[in-house]
Amino acid sequence: MTSLDRYEKANANSDKNQGDRSENHNLWYKQGETLANLGRYEEALASFDKAIEMQPDYRAAWVFRGVVLIHLKRYEEALYSCNKAIEILPEDKEAWTFRGAALSHLGRHDEAYHSYNKALGKEESRCRKILRQLVRPFRKKRAMPISPTE
């Protein structure tokens, strides 16, 4: 049985539990996870939204919602979802990682770098931060190649 077959079977089984799911945020989350793994991102998003509607502080649903939104190229919304997860659990490494991905897609690379460091559990030293700020203007000016062969 392939992974796709297992996901399809899990999705079919979750459809049978429709009555239970209407009362249980965790079942909506599991359905969203299954749908996301099948590449059915819009449907997965609706499931995560339902789970969050029922349990607003459901951190895992906020994170996976962010992942799905990245797949849908809805980066601002993905950033919002990751930020919500971080509000719930500030040390959530997955939320920081996907926050970094959303920021990177938005071209906000310095913020993405900070998010990835948070995911790794690294805080940028004050000295390194100052050094990065000093070097930034020179990176932008270096439009010309250093040598004629570049």
Side-chain angles (χ1 to χ4, degrees), residues 10-68:
N11 193 44
N13 287 337
S14 75
D15 285 343
K16 291 176 188 173
N17 296 323
Q18 178 64 40
D20 296 338
R21 187 173 50 243
S22 66
E23 303 297 323
N24 189 331
H25 63 278
N26 198 41
L27 288 174
W28 282 106
Y29 172 83
K30 290 192 181 302
Q31 177 177 307
E33 186 176 35
T34 299
L35 290 165
N37 286 320
L38 290 169
R40 294 165 54 183
Y41 301 122
E42 291 288 349
E43 294 169 85
L45 182 59
S47 293
F48 292 128
D49 285 345
K50 186 67 176 173
I52 290 166
E53 177 185 317
M54 298 173 88
Q55 184 74 37
D57 64 345
Y58 197 173
R59 180 203 49 82
W62 281 111
V63 173
F64 218 138
R65 183 179 189 274
V67 172
V68 165

Side-chain angles (χ1 to χ4, degrees), residues 85-97:
I86 290 166
E87 282 178 27
I88 297 164
L89 184 66
E91 61 275 2
D92 186 326
K93 293 180 184 312
E94 282 185 326
W96 283 107
T97 299

Side-chain angles (χ1 to χ4, degrees), residues 75-125:
Y75 306 119
E76 287 289 346
E77 293 172 83
L79 179 59
Y80 175 82
S81 290
C82 293
N83 285 340
K84 290 296 283 186
I86 290 166
E87 282 178 27
I88 297 164
L89 184 66
E91 61 275 2
D92 186 326
K93 293 180 184 312
E94 282 185 326
W96 283 107
T97 299
F98 292 112
R99 181 181 189 271
L103 287 164
S104 182
H105 282 290
L106 290 167
R108 295 163 57 182
H109 302 294
D110 285 340
E111 292 172 85
Y113 179 80
H114 172 74
S115 290
Y116 292 136
N117 274 343
K118 291 288 278 189
L120 293 170
K122 296 180 179 179
E123 286 294 326
E124 187 173 37
S125 73

